[in-house]
């Protein structure tokens, strides 16, 4: 279930949680983050290849592309048995920024974005059908959990793709990770 928890950056003791998609969209829009929920035009097999995945969402992708002019689009998948799952998880676990804005669409599975904006942390649990954008230079991190499972379309406006700049902050350690966040009640 898609879920947004907004917490003081000092810790998540007085957090507020939202599960209604329209409310989540409004809360995120207020900080310049785009959230949308897309329907696939047709049912996708679990092992669908990249072209089939992109084709299933062609209409929504073209509309988004017309607004942002992406330079490249690809599909990434991760399953818990991936030999580098732990290393890949670690790569995004510390707070960072990047010059390109990050846009991810969850074709399947889930992932948890943490957006550190002002004195708040927005924890956005994205699931199948969810699209989220992280504006350029927004401090954030991402957790896929100890048993990562997702298939995402990634949109890039720069040809270089993902170049992260780590802030050196240990803020991520003070927030629930994917495993504990997803095991909580809403
Ligand atoms: Fe990022």
């Amino acid at each position: 279930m898609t879920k947004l928890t907004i917490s003081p950056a000092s810790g998540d003791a007085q957090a507020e949680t939202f599960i209604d998609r329209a409310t989540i969209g409004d809360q995120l829009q207020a900080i310049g983050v785009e959230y949308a929920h897309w329907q696939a035009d047709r049912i996708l097999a679990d092992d669908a290849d990249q072209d089939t995945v992109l084709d299933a969402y062609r209409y929504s992708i073209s509309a988004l592309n017309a607004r942002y002019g992406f330079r490249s689009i690809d599909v990434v998948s991760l399953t818990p048995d991936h030999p580098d799952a732990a290393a890949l998880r670690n790569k995004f676990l510390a707070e960072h920024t990047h010059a390109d804005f990050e846009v991810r669409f969850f074709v399947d599975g889930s992932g948890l974005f943490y957006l550190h904006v002002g004195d708040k942390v927005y924890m956005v649990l994205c699931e199948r059908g969810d699209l989220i954008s992280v504006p350029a230079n927004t401090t954030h991190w991402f957790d896929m959990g100890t048993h990562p499972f997702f298939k995402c379309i990634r949109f890039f406006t720069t040809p270089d793709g993902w170049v992260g700049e780590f802030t050196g902050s240990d803020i991520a350690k003070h927030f629930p990770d994917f495993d504990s966040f997803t095991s909580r009640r809403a």
Side-chain angles (χ1 to χ4, degrees), residues 94-100 137-140 162-168:
E95 188 183 64
H96 64 276
T97 62
H98 25 80
D100 194 14
N137 305 313
T138 301
T139 44
H140 67 281
W162 194 89
V163 183
E165 287 180 39
F166 290 88
T167 63

Side-chain angles (χ1 to χ4, degrees), residues 39-102:
Q39 302 290 345
D41 297 336
R42 59 176 177 277
I43 293 167
L44 279 171
D46 285 348
D47 59 351
D49 65 14
Q50 175 159 322
D51 287 344
T52 308
V53 169
L54 294 175
D55 208 44
Y57 291 97
R58 180 167 303 282
Y59 183 78
S60 300
I61 290 170
S62 326
L64 196 70
N65 212 9
R67 276 170 51 209
Y68 293 115
F70 294 109
R71 302 279 293 277
S72 64
I73 297 174
D74 68 8
V75 177
V76 282
S77 317
L78 205 60
T79 50
D81 58 356
H82 192 290
D84 298 326
L88 287 165
R89 180 188 183 210
N90 269 328
K91 186 175 173 187
F92 306 107
L93 261 185
E95 188 183 64
H96 64 276
T97 62
H98 25 80
D100 194 14
F101 85 124
E102 183 165 332

Side-chain angles (χ1 to χ4, degrees), residues 1-2 37 106 108-111 125-131 182:
M1 182 173 53
T2 310
H37 188 78
F106 285 80
D108 205 354
S110 56
L125 177 64
C126 291
E127 304 226 313
R128 178 201 284 251
D130 287 339
L131 175 126
T182 52

